[in-house]
């Protein structure tokens, strides 16, 4: 970018990548993100190529798969051999939950406020053979430390789907490391908007779908499994691409692939990989270290404005725990009606459990947030 462009606000630098801004003020990235222009173009290009040539250019498809692994590894500070391509966050969580070797009495630390995908797998294990200690994400680190003593696994979301509470992953990772407790992170509501380093946080495994803050399409996500942990998580979903010799169709050798590819059960979502690669590369280009303060400032602005308009904000939002999600409500107003009325004015939010959930990304302007505040009933 030119010298003058470098001093433009981040939202203005990338505004042209988001044609959705011509139609909506989009505050629903915690649900499904609109596609950036380059992402849609990449996916359209693959669709046209398949229309015209079928699988003639299959080598380019393989490049797209590898491109996602490399870009995702850069995004989280991993290596490409620690990245598997999965359908969604739920598949990633289930891979870990079902693949670990559990024994009667094993203890799991989980959190009550989690989205169902990071709740049900642990509840299911509790029903069968394990004990789950349910904490709150707002519990002090001292309580988490006590709970981790003797625990086999701790699972937490990077950012909570309703309150927007952002966990201190580095501090929790250090606790897990001290107690030899497997550290799993559901990263879907923060990855792409806030920096995350799996080495700094000492994360053992992580899953995230691409269709929220990573700005990708639905049905294509990543599973990170630390290299030293891969032999302890067996791929229960076992397919032809799970094995090392998967390119030899006549082979019946079931030796596993020597990287996280062992968790890829079969044919991948090719068009999704084209899209997700483009989206993650856009995030890397813009710089998550620049995206994070932009997203936090927009959500802070919206929270402060909503309070001025008589709304309450869910949770105790601080610079340390705030993220891109805020949930607001006003006594006497139905959140579904508020969301409907905003939609009629070209503002897209989401009703969640009696709250109006808003989730702006970095390409939204402060002026648009001010308009949202003015339009709140």
């Amino acid at each position: 970018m030119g010298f003058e462009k470098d001093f433009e606000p981040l939202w203005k630098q990338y505004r042209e990548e988001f044609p959705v801004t011509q139609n909506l003020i989009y505050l629903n990235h915690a649900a499904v993100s609109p596609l950036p222009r380059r992402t849609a173009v990449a996916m359209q290009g693959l669709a046209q190529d398949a229309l015209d040539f079928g699988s003639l250019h299959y080598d380019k498809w393989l490049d797209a798969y590898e491109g996602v692994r490399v870009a995702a590894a850069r995004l989280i500070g991993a290596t490409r051999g620690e990245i598997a391509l999965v359908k969604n966050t739920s598949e990633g969580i289930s891979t870990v939950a079902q693949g670990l070797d559990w024994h009667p009495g094993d203890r799991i630390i989980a959190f009550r406020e989690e989205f169902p995908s990071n709740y049900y797998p642990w509840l299911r294990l509790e029903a069968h053979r394990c004990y789950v200690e349910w904490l709150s994400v707002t519990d002090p680190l001292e309580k988490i430390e006590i709970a981790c003593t003797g625990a086999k696994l701790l699972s937490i979301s990077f950012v909570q789907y309703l309150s927007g509470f952002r966990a201190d992953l580095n501090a929790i990772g250090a606790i897990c490391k001290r107690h030899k407790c497997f550290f799993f992170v559901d990263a879907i509501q923060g990855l792409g908007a806030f920096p995350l380093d799996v080495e700094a946080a000492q994360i053992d495994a992580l899953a995230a779908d691409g269709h929220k803050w990573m700005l990708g399409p639905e049905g294509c996500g990543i599973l990170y499994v630390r290299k030293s942990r891969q032999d302890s998580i067996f791929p229960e979903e076992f397919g032809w691409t799970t094995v090392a010799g998967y390119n030899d169709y006549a082979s019946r050798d079931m030796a596993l692939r020597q990287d996280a590819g062992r968790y890829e059960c079969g044919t991948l979502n090719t068009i999704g990989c084209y899209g997700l690669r483009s989206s993650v590369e856009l995030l890397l280009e813009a710089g998550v270290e620049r995206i994070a303060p932009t997203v936090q400032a927009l959500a802070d602005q919206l929270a402060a404005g909503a309070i001025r308009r008589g709304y309450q904000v869910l949770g105790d939002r601080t610079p340390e725990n705030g993220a891109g999600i805020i949930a607001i409500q006003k006594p006497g107003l139905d959140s579904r009606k508020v969301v409907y009325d905003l939609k009629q004015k070209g503002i897209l939010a989401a009703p969640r459990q009696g709250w109006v959930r808003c989730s702006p990304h970095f390409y939204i302007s402060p002026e648009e947030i001010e308009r949202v505040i003015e339009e709140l009933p």
Side-chain angles (χ1 to χ4, degrees), residues 18-312:
F18 296 93
V20 68
T21 55
Q22 299 168 24
N23 304 309
L24 295 165
I25 299 177
Y26 201 92
L27 304 179
N28 204 23
H29 297 86
V32 178
S33 170
L35 295 178
R37 186 185 302 277
R38 69 179 71 178
T39 299
V41 167
M43 296 172 71
Q44 289 161 354
L46 183 277
Q48 188 66 48
D49 186 52
L51 176 69
D52 294 336
F53 297 104
S55 64
L56 178 65
H57 302 128
Y58 197 84
D59 56 331
K60 293 182 180 178
W61 301 9
L62 298 177
D63 288 344
Y65 307 152
E66 186 64 11
V68 177
R69 296 186 189 102
V70 170
R74 284 183 58 201
L75 189 65
I76 65 173
T79 65
R80 54 82 51 212
E82 296 174 311
I83 303 294
L85 306 180
V86 293
K87 297 190 298 292
N88 46 53
T89 312
S90 296
E91 183 180 37
I93 297 172
S94 293
T95 297
V96 174
Q98 297 306 310
L100 284 167
D101 184 20
W102 298 102
H103 299 94
D106 281 344
R107 197 155 53 85
I108 296 166
I109 309 302
F111 294 82
R112 292 187 290 271
E113 298 91 344
E114 294 286 351
F115 190 76
S117 60
N118 197 27
Y119 191 96
Y120 289 148
W122 317 118
L123 191 65
R124 183 170 182 265
L125 283 169
E126 183 178 44
H128 284 75
R129 54 191 178 278
C130 298
Y131 171 74
V132 180
E133 184 167 348
W134 299 97
L135 302 181
S136 169
V137 294
T138 59
D139 282 338
L141 291 171
E142 292 80 7
K143 186 170 182 178
I144 295 175
E145 175 115 35
I146 292 169
C148 272
T149 305
K152 181 163 183 170
L153 176 143
L154 180 145
S155 178
I156 194 170
S157 286
F158 184 15
V159 173
Q160 291 297 318
Y161 78 100
L162 181 60
S163 68
F165 179 90
R166 176 162 51 96
D168 186 343
L169 296 184
N170 288 8
I172 296 172
I175 290 171
C176 290
K177 184 74 171 180
R178 281 196 294 274
H179 295 282
K180 297 182 173 57
C181 177
F182 191 106
F183 185 26
F184 179 83
V185 175
D186 173 349
I188 192 170
Q189 291 292 8
L191 189 57
F194 288 84
L196 188 158
D197 187 315
V198 295
E199 290 301 325
Q202 303 179 85
I203 295 169
D204 292 303
L206 167 156
D209 202 338
H211 69 272
K212 298 185 189 292
W213 301 93
M214 282 196 281
L215 302 170
E218 289 191 295
C220 191
I222 64 165
L223 169 65
Y224 157 80
V225 180
R226 181 178 293 278
K227 178 64 176 175
S228 62
R229 291 291 200 173
Q230 289 173 14
D231 285 340
S232 65
I233 302 174
F234 186 79
E236 288 292 336
E237 191 178 42
F238 207 103
W240 69 277
T241 56
T242 302
V243 302
Y246 65 92
N247 282 321
D248 180 359
Y249 305 150
S251 173
R252 297 297 181 261
D253 185 347
M254 293 180 66
L256 297 175
R257 286 165 69 170
Q258 293 301 299
D259 59 17
R262 65 179 60 187
Y263 305 114
E264 296 171 2
C265 185
T267 301
L268 298 171
N269 177 1
T270 303
I271 198 165
C273 288
Y274 267 74
L276 187 56
R277 175 181 61 180
S278 293
S279 292
V280 175
E281 287 175 350
L282 184 155
L283 295 169
L284 292 169
E285 176 188 299
V288 178
E289 71 284 352
R290 293 197 300 158
I291 291 172
T294 302
V295 169
Q296 181 123 341
L298 293 171
D300 284 347
Q301 179 188 353
L302 186 48
I307 290 170
R308 290 197 307 271
R309 296 297 301 271
Y311 285 75
Q312 58 181 339

Side-chain angles (χ1 to χ4, degrees), residues 11 13 134 214 337:
W11 68 266
Q13 292 179 34
W134 299 97
M214 282 196 281
K337 180 67 164 53

